[in-house]
Amino acid sequence: MPRHALGHSAVRVSELAFGAAGIGNLFAPVSDPEAEQAVAAAWESGVRYFDTAPHYGLGLSERRLGAALRGLPRDEYVLSTKVGRLLEPAAPGGGDDLANGFAVPATHRRVWDFSAEGVRRSIEDSLGRLGLDRIDIAYLHDPDEHAGQALDQAYPELERLRAEGVLGAIGVGMNQAGLPARFIRETDIDAVLLAGRYSLLDQRGLDELLPLAERHDVGVVIGGVFNSGLLADPHPGATFDYRAAPSDLLARALDLKTVCGQHGVPLRAAALRFPFGHPAVASVLVGTRSAAEARDAAAMLQHPVPATLWSVLKERGLLPTAVPTPREAD
């Protein structure tokens, strides 16, 4: 699988990234063997970039991902996790964590902390859960309500860790484009993990963030290319950004599926290839919870997508004419 430099850093990521929220029991339980098999299938498919976070399953995702990666050659893959939420032990009998989206016991509570000390502790705690020797990329995770502290305290600490060689790259991961654009303007981040804002149904990342990233040589990893499900399988009841999709978006997704089908392209393949039209995009990240999903994502990314498909989508008003045409799969 092709790899691309992540902005001006020395880190190179595979075009497809494994998003490990699913093996942290996002929405529904996954067994330890299923999680291990999902990571193994991704590896066998050529994936060499794996992303996790303390938030995912109250540390379960990090523990499972670390266990699955531990026997693999460390220099052959890139690992990212996130800072901003510390995990503190909770009182016994706290029920489950489904209110936060994860089917795990509520053994811990999340504490927002974008202080310098919090960043150091978060990295140390993550290394302990992962059981690995290093983290390659650290993202500031969802600092929406904590922008000041993230810019003034967390970012400088990540910069120091990068200078010390503890981290290979640093960035910000969010599901909005405005604040990451500010980070690009005001800091020396290497990367942005942008979720759901550069897809076949939502191109807000193109307004400012992606052009700015290109000018500043910041690498962009695009998450949420299926917009939480609608672009994977559009049908009544499908979700867009984790809510029931509005009727107009469902109709648009069904039209996209029809046109893609007329060109012999599964909608999932077009959704995965679309972000690579922009030169700042280095990788697409897909949340994966099973071996079948891992293999499907890799196959869909490599599925041929004729250039004529993008032209027809623009002609029919299903894509703005201004979006750059995706490059062919290597």
Side-chain angles (χ1 to χ4, degrees), residues 76-145:
E76 290 189 18
Y77 65 86
V78 168
L79 172 68
S80 63
T81 192
K82 306 179 182 76
V83 301
R85 292 175 175 92
L86 295 176
L87 301 180
E88 300 284 1
D96 60 44
D97 192 51
L98 281 171
N100 293 297
F102 294 93
V104 297
T107 56
H108 290 73
R109 59 188 180 90
R110 299 168 181 84
V111 178
W112 289 103
D113 192 335
F114 287 94
S115 68
E117 295 80 5
V119 165
R120 287 266 177 177
R121 181 185 152 189
S122 184
I123 294 294
E124 291 171 4
D125 289 352
S126 288
L127 284 169
R129 286 187 291 266
L130 288 159
L132 298 171
D133 64 337
R134 70 179 187 275
I135 292 160
D136 300 296
I137 309 165
Y139 292 107
L140 296 159
H141 197 188
D142 296 334
D144 304 66
E145 306 300 324

Side-chain angles (χ1 to χ4, degrees), residues 20 22 28 47 53 85-86 108 118 137 154 160 162 182 205 247 264 318:
V47 173
R85 292 175 175 92
L86 295 176
H108 290 73
I137 309 165
R160 282 189 284 272
R162 183 178 61 185
R182 182 180 173 190
S247 58
L318 293 171

Side-chain angles (χ1 to χ4, degrees), residues 2-63:
R3 300 193 197 190
H4 304 292
L6 193 60
H8 48 266
S9 77
V11 175
R12 294 181 62 82
V13 293
S14 54
E15 279 197 343
L16 182 63
F18 181 101
I23 64 170
N25 288 8
L26 180 64
F27 302 133
V30 172
S31 70
D32 287 343
E34 287 171 329
E36 184 177 3
Q37 291 160 15
V39 176
W43 181 272
E44 292 163 4
S45 300
V47 173
R48 294 296 183 269
Y49 175 28
F50 299 84
D51 174 76
T52 183
H55 171 54
Y56 302 155
L58 295 171
L60 178 63
S61 173
E62 288 184 319
R63 290 192 295 272

Side-chain angles (χ1 to χ4, degrees), residues 9-308:
S9 77
V11 175
R12 294 181 62 82
V13 293
S14 54
E15 279 197 343
L16 182 63
F18 181 101
I23 64 170
N25 288 8
L26 180 64
F27 302 133
V30 172
S31 70
D32 287 343
E34 287 171 329
E36 184 177 3
Q37 291 160 15
V39 176
W43 181 272
E44 292 163 4
S45 300
V47 173
R48 294 296 183 269
Y49 175 28
F50 299 84
D51 174 76
T52 183
H55 171 54
Y56 302 155
L58 295 171
L60 178 63
S61 173
E62 288 184 319
R63 290 192 295 272
R64 282 176 164 171
L65 183 60
L69 293 175
R70 214 164 291 147
L72 299 172
R74 183 62 187 89
D75 290 339
E76 290 189 18
Y77 65 86
V78 168
L79 172 68
S80 63
T81 192
K82 306 179 182 76
V83 301
R85 292 175 175 92
L86 295 176
L87 301 180
E88 300 284 1
D96 60 44
D97 192 51
L98 281 171
N100 293 297
F102 294 93
V104 297
T107 56
H108 290 73
R109 59 188 180 90
R110 299 168 181 84
V111 178
W112 289 103
D113 192 335
F114 287 94
S115 68
E117 295 80 5
V119 165
R120 287 266 177 177
R121 181 185 152 189
S122 184
I123 294 294
E124 291 171 4
D125 289 352
S126 288
L127 284 169
R129 286 187 291 266
L130 288 159
L132 298 171
D133 64 337
R134 70 179 187 275
I135 292 160
D136 300 296
I137 309 165
Y139 292 107
L140 296 159
H141 197 188
D142 296 334
D144 304 66
E145 306 300 324
H146 309 271
Q149 190 181 41
L151 282 161
D152 297 340
Q153 297 183 41
Y155 166 74
E157 190 65 19
L158 287 178
E159 193 175 54
R160 282 189 284 272
L161 290 169
R162 183 178 61 185
E164 293 169 9
V166 176
L167 300 170
I170 58 178
V172 59
M174 304 185 73
N175 59 8
Q176 58 143 302
L179 188 53
R182 182 180 173 190
F183 272 90
I184 294 175
R185 290 192 300 268
E186 298 181 16
T187 72
D188 185 36
I189 59 171
D190 303 291
V192 170
L193 172 50
L194 180 66
R197 298 298 167 254
Y198 195 56
S199 73
L200 290 173
L201 289 172
D202 188 333
Q203 296 90 43
R204 278 176 279 180
L206 192 59
D207 295 340
E208 179 187 22
L209 176 62
L210 287 168
L212 196 62
E214 182 181 9
R215 289 199 299 274
H216 288 257
D217 195 17
V218 169
V220 179
V221 178
I222 298 294
V225 291
F226 300 139
N227 286 121
S228 83
L230 182 57
L231 285 171
D233 179 21
H235 64 274
T239 55
F240 177 85
D241 285 359
Y242 304 104
R243 297 181 180 87
S247 58
D248 59 329
L249 280 180
L250 174 59
R252 192 176 186 86
L254 289 169
D255 288 344
L256 284 163
K257 181 179 180 180
T258 297
V259 175
C260 288
Q262 291 168 348
H263 288 77
V265 178
L267 179 58
R268 301 190 310 287
L272 282 162
R273 181 51 47 186
F274 171 75
F276 289 105
H278 200 282
V281 174
S283 181
V284 293
L285 185 150
V286 176
T288 309
R289 60 192 299 117
S290 69
E293 289 182 358
R295 295 189 189 100
D296 180 76
M300 289 297 99
L301 184 59
Q302 294 302 315
H303 193 287
V305 180
T308 52

